[in-house]
Amino acid sequence: QGSAYYTLFKGEVEIGLMNRMGYDCSTIGNHEFDFGMDVFLDLANKHAEYSYVSCNFINLKTGETVFPPYILKDFGGRLVAFVGVSTPESYTKSTPSYFQDLNGNDIYGFCEGNDGQNLYDCVQKAIDDAVKEGADYVIGVGHLGTDPTSSPWTSVEVIANTTGFSAFLDGHSHSLIEGQCVKDKDDNDVVLCSTG
């Protein structure tokens, strides 16, 4: 986000670069919606050669996730689940009308209610489902950030209120975190990283 190419081609150049780099998956954040829901869904469904995952981006009409909550990848006989977690701030840090119908009724949501508990429950369900499906490790692929203003939806808070992540790869706040140990709900260490 932010380049002339991004603005002119509405994200298509970035999707092409990610395809060429061989991404396995990505989650969504607020900037995916910069050009509206239809543009993003077209890019994600027709142009991306990798999977978008998000356990908490919900179509409120159907109650189903818009994208799979997670994907499983085999690495040398070890099954790794990548669980997508998207910031509920997308609603306010993007354009709220993108998530509404023409009458102003919400048609998309991010499990944002109940002082964070709705998000934690949604994430825990995705972790549990991935483990039931055979995952040896569960990696969070998040767009949550660590800024206090993002509370109660920061990556640290999500880790602290769930159990089962092996590691968590984060974005949104553009923080450089090279490998911080965060205790999960069961007092297990989870490695949190963010690229800056």
Side-chain angles (χ1 to χ4, degrees):
Q1 185 268 342
S3 73
Y5 286 109
Y6 175 78
T7 303
L8 185 61
F9 296 103
K10 299 183 178 179
E12 192 170 338
V13 170
E14 286 72 16
I15 296 280
L17 289 170
M18 291 172 75
N19 288 341
R20 294 201 54 186
M21 291 173 70
Y23 273 64
D24 291 306
C25 67
S26 180
T27 196
I28 57 174
N30 48 299
H31 285 297
E32 269 69 24
F33 306 107
D34 283 351
F35 304 104
M37 187 66 68
D38 291 342
V39 171
F40 168 60
L41 292 178
D42 181 68
L43 287 172
N45 293 320
K46 295 181 183 173
H47 298 275
E49 296 170 7
Y50 51 88
S51 301
Y52 274 96
V53 290
S54 178
C55 70
N56 66 304
F57 179 40
I58 309 293
N59 179 328
L60 298 176
K61 287 183 175 180
T62 65
E64 301 291 323
T65 58
V66 178
F67 298 104
Y70 60 89
I71 60 165
L72 293 168
K73 297 292 240 180
D74 189 303
F75 293 95
R78 295 286 187 185
L79 208 54
V80 179
F82 295 93
V83 174
V85 189
S86 305
T87 180
E89 289 187 300
S90 295
Y91 189 92
T92 55
K93 290 196 171 181
S94 183
T95 302
S97 63
Y98 293 162
F99 306 96
Q100 300 171 342
D101 63 18
L102 295 175
N103 296 318
N105 301 306
D106 291 340
I107 54 175
Y108 295 100
F110 292 90
C111 300
E112 62 275 356
N114 202 15
D115 198 30
Q117 193 61 51
N118 289 358
L119 177 62
Y120 311 148
D121 291 345
C122 183
V123 172
Q124 189 64 63
K125 181 181 182 323
I127 294 170
D128 294 344
D129 288 349
V131 170
K132 283 179 193 168
E133 199 171 335
D136 297 299
Y137 302 99
V138 180
I139 309 296
V141 180
H143 191 97
L144 297 173
T146 58
D147 289 340
T149 57
S150 297
S151 184
W153 307 310
T154 66
S155 52
V156 171
E157 289 167 306
V158 167
I159 293 168
N161 286 280
T162 59
T163 186
F165 279 127
S166 306
F168 198 100
L169 309 175
D170 198 17
H172 190 47
S173 61
H174 306 279
S175 309
L176 177 59
I177 304 170
E178 294 182 1
Q180 173 186 346
C181 279
V182 178
K183 294 288 187 185
D184 74 6
K185 191 174 182 179
D186 288 344
D187 207 37
N188 300 307
D189 285 331
V190 177
V191 179
L192 171 64
C193 297
S194 184
T195 59

